[in-house]
Amino acid sequence: MTDFMQLLLSGVATGAIYAMAALGFTLLWQAAGTINFAQGEFVMLPAFAMLIGMSMGLPLWASFIVAVALSILVLGAAFKKWIVDPMRGSGVVSVVVATLGLSIGLKSFVKASYSAEPHPFPSIFGDEVFKLAGVTISYSDVGALVFAGLMVVGLQAFLNKTITGRAMQAVAQNTFAAEALGINVKRMIFYTFAINAILVTVTALLITPTYLAKFDMGDNIGLKAFFAAIIGGFNNSRGALLGGILVGVLENLAGAYLTPAYKDGVALALFLTVILIKPDGLLGTPQERKV
Amino acid sequence: MSILSVHDIKKSYGAIQAVGGVSFEVEPGEILGVIGPNGSGKTTLFNSILGQIKPDTGRVEFEGKDISGGSPLELSRLGIGRTFQNLQVFGKLSLRDNLILAAQEHTGTFWGRMFAPPDNGLADRAQEMLDLFRLNHVADLPAGSLSYGQQKLVDIAMAFMPKPRLVLLDEPCAGVNPSLVDGLRELLVELNRKQGGSFVVIEHNMDFIMKLCHRVVCMVEGKVLAVGKPEEIQGNRAVLEAYLGN
Amino acid sequence: MKNVKLLSTQHMVFLGLALGALLLAPSMLKTYGLYLLSLWLVYVIAAMGLNLTVGYAGLKSLCHAGFMGVGAYTVAIMMKAGISFWIASPVAIVICFVLGLAIGFPALRVQLHYLGFATLGFNLLLVLFFRNEEWLTGGTFGIQNIKRPGFFGMTLESNTSFYFLVLAVTIVFGVLLALLLRSPWGRAFAALRDNPIRAESTGVNITAYTLMSFAIGAAYAGIAGALFAPLVNFIEPAPFGISNSLLFLMMVVIGGSGRFYGPVLGAAIALLLPEYLRFLKDWYLAVFGFTAVAMMIWLPGGLLSMKEAWQLSQAKRAAKQKQIAEAAASAGVKGAAA
């Protein structure tokens, strides 16, 4: 039982981290119709940015702040301006291929320019553990859960309660109507990219201690984020949270009780089950087929 | 026996009733027009017949067989063709290929077509349609590169390629240069005479409908207001009011 | 009976020259060069299959390397068990075909862009299988010393003879694909890509064609895998991972998806060019990836669409000039009338 509680807790913590990457992914899709196959690499880059920051003598928190700023600039503004904007109107397929190309390019770039080896990465919450009712709990799990939980809940509140957040949702639902209402659509879309940039940087901060900083770490994270987003419902931002936690918990439990070798296949199995039964995801709403 | 019979189709969207109990029959060889002001439920009716939306109640029969909710594939195989209001040609295929494609799945078997000659024996038929529609000079260009009016003609020609027994035409004149509308009408009349089959035409262009159709159904607010020969409909006071009042 | 010309003269000359060069290649290349050329042909076979799925039928498939792995492992395992290559490779092709059908089913259920993720996940699962089922696949150590087959008493052990086998298989399956694309099926695939909903209303059974494009594409990957194992003599999970699936997609897209020779060019760029640009090392893939991005922005039809893209821009320019000229002329007329 204590084992189970432990697995559950760390599963929820990992799941909350997946949920952040998934949430950013969903937001980009909603606001700009961009399916970002490079989302995993968008997590990997800030991890290396923080590593470089620390190797230059900055403490972790300071390099995190620098990484957030860089992310907004590069993964937010530059990505939008130089890749997404010029491809407007050229269809989902081209965007998919372009972001896949970006994924290959970024991976190889880091491999070539930095290193092909995995690098250890410190946890901001330290390595200590404590015991509660016989359950061993690590500070980093609790910290990740709380941090990720706050991010997701905070973002939900921002989207639902603030004027800017509501404007962003309006843009996501109907760009033309939003424009007619006088909403600055371009700026709202940029905000979405900026939020995604922040989300991936936080994801990097929380997940790299377990995954280690490696050029191809994004393969796994990206895939989990996609699956979490689709399981929860591609057009629903709360779905990303549900999907992330489901994936995190189930793969932890399956890894311990069924087979550790196929732990990474759990997300796929869950994804296939969900799309076969409910193609729009657990919390998604059906989309009309358009002629 | 009528080719198509529509029984008491009803469809509501929330509190709004789009179609409220429509019934009519289409006889073999007949060209039936469906008119009505915007929002009178023509498109909903059309989509219900074609299985694109599921009506709340009602039944659609094709040659006495219930086809309610049939997939586009099944309807096509049964011998029901349709045209589209907005352009729906295969832009990257040549015009000739568009035409052959429109009929190739109606002859032979799935596996047989893997080994069939490229045109599946339809080259002559395609040529016949090209001649009839006077599209010979652009036959080998990608359909997407043709003008709007030409693509509209291609769409119509595609619907007729497999010699369907029933064709539903969704606003064939929309977006077509007014000077070409008469030509289009003559074409449809010729097709009707040559290869038979019944047509159901939804159209806003009154002149076109009145000259083309054998019978006209006028819909208002989701119901059939009047059915009759074109001259009867033209003289019908209620129809005139429905249009003038709009 | 109309005399249908299969290929233009220009095309025939090009094919003749290419074939001549490929036949003469063994006498001019050293061992490594010949190995690379064989590997390139293997990749061309796989990429041709992917081109059918992606380029002609317009479906996203991101598990092509995984299918190739299934082909390679099937042949390696069966040959280790003493079964002839000539029995093992058809089995490999059939297994890949059936797997392709199985993967195609969710494709019918889900919206198109989900398919990318579903296939990506499937590839991940295959790699896990190759890595974990040591009893069958040898795990991370892989399977070593895979023999090259004989052919009617002749051994194909030498690099040159095996190269000719690969070349022959490439040509046979290339011609088969070309014939398939010329048949009514080819037109139905193209319709599926252009406008699936319209296709359905003309009687195209999109379910059947979707499944077939997937399964045939997978079978081609299986053929490539079946040749890959004896060519390299040694297989392990790495070459069949997600990154190579992405690379396959890039090959097709960069060469020109939906163009017959697209994958041939794409595979050369992804495989042969890096050998000449070795000094770039890992930078090559970085440049490759970023080039793909740039191409999607400026030349989405791939390298082979360059001519048409240029013609289109010329036509647009001409149309614009004509418009300006007409506007100027009509303004002149109005001016004169006033």
Side-chain angles (χ1 to χ4, degrees), chain B residues 54-208:
Chain B
K54 196 180 177 311
D56 302 331
T57 63
R59 202 168 71 252
V60 183
E61 281 174 12
F62 176 68
E63 298 177 333
K65 190 174 168 246
D66 190 352
I67 56 158
S68 311
S71 72
L73 180 69
E74 286 161 355
L75 299 186
S76 164
R77 295 282 172 87
L78 278 174
I80 303 176
R82 72 166 298 190
T83 71
F84 289 79
Q85 194 178 333
N86 46 354
L87 287 183
Q88 296 284 345
V89 299
F90 299 101
K92 285 183 187 152
L93 294 180
S94 76
L95 173 45
R96 204 183 291 277
D97 276 327
N98 268 274
L99 291 176
I100 294 173
L101 179 88
Q104 72 169 32
E105 302 293 317
H106 293 254
T107 42
T109 61
F110 180 69
W111 294 106
R113 283 191 288 276
M114 191 177 191
F115 305 100
D119 66 353
N120 207 18
L122 288 162
D124 295 340
R125 171 70 183 152
Q127 190 55 49
E128 197 183 311
M129 291 305 261
L130 286 169
D131 291 337
L132 185 65
F133 280 79
R134 296 190 190 86
L135 288 167
N136 241 323
H137 57 296
V138 287
D140 295 303
L141 296 178
S145 70
L146 306 184
S147 72
Y148 187 94
Q150 284 172 325
Q151 290 194 41
K152 197 92 189 181
L153 286 179
V154 176
D155 189 46
I156 294 169
M158 281 167 75
F160 284 99
M161 260 305 279
K163 303 191 177 166
R165 295 192 295 287
L166 173 70
V167 183
L168 293 111
L169 296 109
D170 194 355
E171 301 203 14
C173 298
V176 175
N177 187 330
S179 64
L180 300 174
V181 165
D182 279 339
L184 179 60
R185 196 190 66 235
E186 280 157 24
L187 245 165
L188 289 173
V189 170
E190 195 176 345
L191 276 166
N192 182 253
R193 187 172 50 79
K194 259 192 181 165
Q195 63 180 73
S198 311
F199 307 169
V200 176
V201 189
I202 289 188
E203 187 47 67
H204 279 295
N205 185 331
M206 282 305 145
D207 186 52
F208 180 81

Side-chain angles (χ1 to χ4, degrees), chain A residues 109-174:
Chain A
F109 174 76
V110 169
K111 189 182 177 191
S113 66
Y114 197 83
S115 141
E117 301 302 315
H119 297 268
F121 193 93
S123 165
I124 42 166
F125 306 109
D127 303 323
E128 282 95 68
V129 294
F130 66 95
K131 284 213 168 208
L132 187 75
V135 183
T136 314
I137 300 167
S138 74
Y139 280 107
S140 70
D141 273 356
V142 176
L145 179 56
V146 171
F147 203 154
L150 281 178
M151 281 294 291
V152 174
V153 173
L155 189 57
Q156 284 291 335
F158 171 73
L159 288 176
N160 292 324
K161 300 276 156 61
T162 67
I163 294 176
T164 312
R166 280 162 178 267
M168 285 172 65
Q169 290 202 343
V171 171
Q173 272 159 27
N174 190 333

Side-chain angles (χ1 to χ4, degrees), chain A residues 201-223:
Chain A
T201 315
V202 179
T203 309
L205 177 73
L206 297 180
I207 210 157
T208 321
T210 357
Y211 270 57
L212 303 181
K214 197 178 171 207
F215 71 96
D216 62 356
M217 66 185 274
D219 285 353
N220 208 359
I221 299 165
L223 211 54

Side-chain angles (χ1 to χ4, degrees), chain C residues 273-325:
Chain C
L273 210 53
E275 289 300 324
Y276 294 98
L277 301 173
R278 264 206 192 167
F279 59 95
L280 285 173
K281 289 189 194 138
D282 290 329
W283 288 103
Y284 180 78
L285 261 185
V287 172
F288 185 78
F290 294 136
T291 310
V293 180
M295 274 189 55
M296 280 303 100
I297 297 172
W298 289 298
L299 196 65
L303 287 175
L304 290 180
S305 76
M306 235 189 254
K307 192 176 148 200
E308 279 148 55
W310 190 75
Q311 281 170 342
L312 194 70
S313 78
Q314 290 294 307
K316 268 189 192 158
R317 183 182 293 176
K320 202 170 179 186
Q321 271 167 358
K322 196 177 157 198
Q323 214 177 359
I324 293 167

